[in-house]
Amino acid sequence: KMLQRVLCTVLFVGALPSLAEVSQGHISVVLLGATGDLAKKYLWQGLFQLYMDQVSSGHSFTFHGAALTALEPGQRLMFDVLKKLACPPDESPDRCAVLKDQFLKLSQYHQLKTAENYTVLNREIETLLRQEGLKEAGRIFYFSVPPFAYTEIARHINSSCRPPPGAWLRVVLEKPFGHDLESAQQLAAELTSFFKEEEMYRVDHYLGKQAVAHILPFRDQNRQFLDPIWNRHHVERVEIVLKETVDAKGRTSFYEEYGVIRDVLQNHLTEALMFLTMELPANVSRAEEVLQSKLQAFQSLRGLQKNSAVLGQYRAYASQVQEELQKAQDYVSTTPTFAGVLIHSDSLRWEGVPFLLTSGKALDERVGYVRVLFKNRAYCTQSETLRDAQHSQCKAKQIIFYIGHGALDTPAVLVSRNLFRPVMPEDGWREAVGLSDLHIFGQPLSDYYVYRPVKERDAYSVLISNIYHARKDFFITTENLLASWGFWTPLLDGISHQPLRLYPGGVENQHLLDFEMVSGEVAFTLAEPVELLNPSRLMPSDYRAIQSKFRQSPLVSAWSEELISQLASDIEKTASRAVAESGQFHLALSGGSSPVVLFQRLARHHYAFPWKHTHIWLVDERCVPLTDTESNFFSLHNHLLQNVRVPYFNVHPMPVHLNQRLCVEEDGGTELYAKEITALVGNASFDLVLLGVGTDGHTASLFPRSENGLEGAQTVVLTESPVKPHQRMSLSLPLINRARQVFVLVLGKGKHHITTLLSRVGHEPRKWPVSGVSPSSGRLVWYVDYEALLG
């Protein structure tokens, strides 16, 4: 029998204790895309390493290479790769030769193109096991194919190539897993119709990099040292970096679709970020606990805005795209090849700590690292030349997980000697010596405790071993995948047409791509003019005169960022005047998406704002719990309140959630809010009300033909929205019109139609509620950006 002969031969050179111990069952490994680049470079070597490691584990193996190529040419291509497989340097030549020979004998090629091909493969596996008298332990299907092929292959495996009951199935999937949240959801839905969650192993090969894979074990094994300092009080910042010297030449078809954020930041660097920020579970070996902690870490991340990123593109990229994709000479690519992104976590542990994720092509060096830089509060009287690295508290304190390449050219973990001597597992890591000539981040290597892997292993070998051992925490679950895309997609949408900084590439980049953190945003440090990828050539006919009035009220108009800056300044001036006059400032704010950028501007740039004397009110609220992401108060809290110091009793959310139910008239929520306004706001006249405008002309939550709130004595009303969530609570139009000042903010091209319409209609609040905004003894000002005003 074939397998028995193989096992006997391996036994002959001492690889197996005895044939009797081969009792755990048989594993069939099917590598789809067996003749592709990834398989040639990494996967076959990883499978061979698995075989070498597990040949005496009690499992028997067969390896099935599969592709669309016909049998004979496919077989030839596959075995050309297998013959070049290598053993690790510490493997004896005799054992290596035997194991390699047996691995080749256990490997065979199949053409998998049709449903019938999968049925035949299943029959062959069953026949082989029956002939050998072996029980099936499980099957591994490794998808080294483009994602567009996943669904069809999944259908064939599910219908005709599943193992029998009692045996497991593991399906291994390679990125990209979608292009954005929507496409990732679609692909996930398709796959979950064929496979259970526990059967899917989505690969991010960075989780197999030894330095990255050791972040969690390092945190766990060094809890006694890290527990007091692994937090916002001690960490100054964190850098997660992957720099490449190569460009995208030869890969522009992929790169044009994905770009550097989708290719590197959304997956590789984000996974490292999760290992750093997640709360350590009690047992880091329990995959379920690790994955749950990762998900909670995702939920703590603050949403990204356009100004959270700086973007660049190397100069030669455009011509490479034109050449490889046959684009016209005037084709302009807005795909970034460099990105620096500032991320914040709102968890109690990490609030305020900047996490910088950076990656790019055509940079000055190839290197990857995760660097945790600690705050240094010490002042040292002794001169710098006399300071001892181990005892001086004035030298930089940092922990570096060195992923590879760069000055060290090896994975490593480095800990500043003035922090602590780390606990490292002796069987996996050893202290490095004799590297004193090197410098890392401006410090000699002698300033660090430096540890290297005892045995360097390729990332795919590590991950294939983890698939065998069913270590799901080294892979991306559907829930974590969608959480990651949910976090990155808004930024990707926001920057899709943003101008990129062009850079020459390599050492010539000099300081062009240096960037800095300013008030929670990032910007390039060099302020010289940047060449735009798509300079617009405006003709005289493209210019239009802008009136200083809109609907007989003052109009302020500018590009959106400038407009928000002006509006924030005007609000601060209004607040300061009100506090000077009466000692307090009553501000009523609308919900929706438009005010978010204003809230952020106020929080990050207006440190003289009299928050201590400000009362915050809601103009309207959706009838959902205040902790719901749909809640206007939730958005207000996330983007403004948690970043400024408004006294607790000065914050007045609308009481939509009473008696464990939402917006029920008998609960009297509207009356409660009306009484609170009457009690605290003089003459029920707010100092300032900020409104927005919907595309249908609604404002606050007062909608066209609304039965409540457009007139009458009621000051706070329940209304119905045409879109979900339908139930709303809102200030009434008569109450809004009692304000001393009303500012109306209108942003974006999507509001151009309603803005044009409002410029022509009169006072018709039944049709367009915002047309009824007219403060009886106050002032109305419109803030409309150019896109809304001019289209």
Side-chain angles (χ1 to χ4, degrees), residues 611-625:
W611 294 115
K612 187 178 176 183
H613 304 284
T614 298
H615 284 257
I616 303 283
W617 302 84
L618 271 288
V619 168
D620 63 326
E621 182 58 280
R622 294 164 174 164
C623 292
V624 294

Side-chain angles (χ1 to χ4, degrees), residues 536-570:
S536 57
R537 298 178 180 178
L538 294 173
M539 303 302 290
S541 59
D542 292 320
Y543 291 93
R544 288 169 60 181
I546 299 174
Q547 303 296 322
S548 59
K549 294 270 186 181
F550 184 80
R551 293 181 56 79
Q552 288 79 53
S553 293
L555 168 68
V556 180
S557 194
W559 293 113
S560 58
E561 286 182 32
E562 214 180 312
L563 184 73
I564 291 297
S565 175
Q566 182 63 53
L567 174 57
S569 296
D570 290 350

Side-chain angles (χ1 to χ4, degrees), residues 553 683-686 689 732-742 763 771-781:
S553 293
N683 300 319
S685 175
F686 292 106
V689 174
S732 69
L733 196 55
L735 180 62
I736 291 168
N737 283 334
R738 289 171 71 170
R740 297 171 70 183
Q741 290 207 79
V742 178
H763 180 88
S771 71
V773 176
S774 179
S776 50
S777 56
R779 180 169 172 260
L780 171 63
V781 183

Side-chain angles (χ1 to χ4, degrees), residues 342-631:
L342 173 61
I343 293 175
H344 282 98
S345 168
D346 287 329
S347 70
L348 196 60
R349 181 183 294 278
W350 295 114
E351 186 180 14
V353 177
F355 291 82
L356 292 167
L357 274 59
T358 306
S359 185
K361 292 196 171 291
L363 301 181
D364 61 307
E365 63 175 337
R366 184 185 185 191
V367 68
Y369 60 84
V370 175
R371 181 188 183 206
V372 182
L373 186 65
F374 291 86
K375 294 175 181 176
N376 200 325
R377 299 185 177 91
Y379 169 77
C380 297
T381 312
Q382 192 85 321
S383 68
E384 192 172 346
T385 53
L386 297 174
R387 290 176 195 165
D388 168 29
Q390 189 154 353
H391 299 104
S392 172
Q393 290 303 304
C394 283
K395 289 210 170 192
K397 301 175 182 181
Q398 48 197 332
I399 297 172
I400 302 157
F401 299 93
Y402 204 87
I403 298 165
H405 305 291
L408 288 181
D409 199 30
T410 177
V413 176
L414 299 88
V415 179
S416 293
R417 288 182 179 270
N418 57 1
L419 268 175
F420 57 87
R421 175 183 279 276
V423 176
M424 297 291 281
E426 291 180 9
D427 58 338
W429 297 79
R430 62 165 173 251
E431 192 165 1
V433 290
L435 301 169
S436 54
D437 292 342
L438 292 175
H439 281 67
I440 299 290
F441 298 112
Q443 288 182 266
L445 219 53
S446 57
D447 283 4
Y448 302 94
Y449 295 111
V450 182
Y451 294 84
R452 286 175 157 179
V454 170
K455 185 177 180 181
E456 276 194 52
R457 298 194 65 181
D458 169 68
Y460 279 98
S461 296
V462 173
L463 291 173
I464 287 170
S465 173
N466 287 327
I467 295 162
Y468 169 79
H469 289 291
R471 285 294 305 270
K472 285 282 284 182
D473 48 322
F474 280 84
F475 300 88
I476 314 300
T477 63
T478 302
E479 207 170 10
N480 277 280
L481 172 71
L482 298 181
S484 178
W485 275 121
F487 174 68
W488 285 101
T489 297
L491 175 69
L492 290 164
D493 290 344
I495 62 172
S496 56
H497 299 294
Q498 193 168 318
L500 309 173
R501 173 163 290 196
L502 296 181
Y503 59 97
V507 293
E508 292 179 40
N509 295 335
Q510 296 184 14
H511 299 294
L512 260 181
L513 298 178
D514 294 353
F515 59 93
E516 61 187 350
M517 298 171 283
V518 183
S519 302
E521 301 172 354
V522 282
F524 286 116
T525 53
L526 286 185
E528 80 269 8
V530 179
E531 183 178 338
L532 298 179
L533 288 177
N534 190 16
S536 57
R537 298 178 180 178
L538 294 173
M539 303 302 290
S541 59
D542 292 320
Y543 291 93
R544 288 169 60 181
I546 299 174
Q547 303 296 322
S548 59
K549 294 270 186 181
F550 184 80
R551 293 181 56 79
Q552 288 79 53
S553 293
L555 168 68
V556 180
S557 194
W559 293 113
S560 58
E561 286 182 32
E562 214 180 312
L563 184 73
I564 291 297
S565 175
Q566 182 63 53
L567 174 57
S569 296
D570 290 350
I571 292 175
E572 183 178 339
K573 287 174 191 169
T574 305
S576 299
R577 277 199 304 268
V579 171
E581 288 172 16
S582 64
Q584 54 189 3
F585 173 56
H586 288 276
L587 172 64
L589 296 169
S590 283
S593 56
S594 292
V596 167
V597 283
L598 172 67
F599 297 160
Q600 291 168 340
R601 180 84 195 179
L602 286 168
R604 294 172 186 172
H605 295 272
H606 290 264
Y607 297 106
F609 199 104
W611 294 115
K612 187 178 176 183
H613 304 284
T614 298
H615 284 257
I616 303 283
W617 302 84
L618 271 288
V619 168
D620 63 326
E621 182 58 280
R622 294 164 174 164
C623 292
V624 294
L626 298 186
T627 53
D628 193 301
T629 53
E630 293 272 3
S631 162

Side-chain angles (χ1 to χ4, degrees), residues 175 204 226 292 379 666 692 737:
K175 79 176 185 77
D204 182 327
L226 291 174
Q292 193 55 42
Y379 169 77
E666 296 81 54
N737 283 334

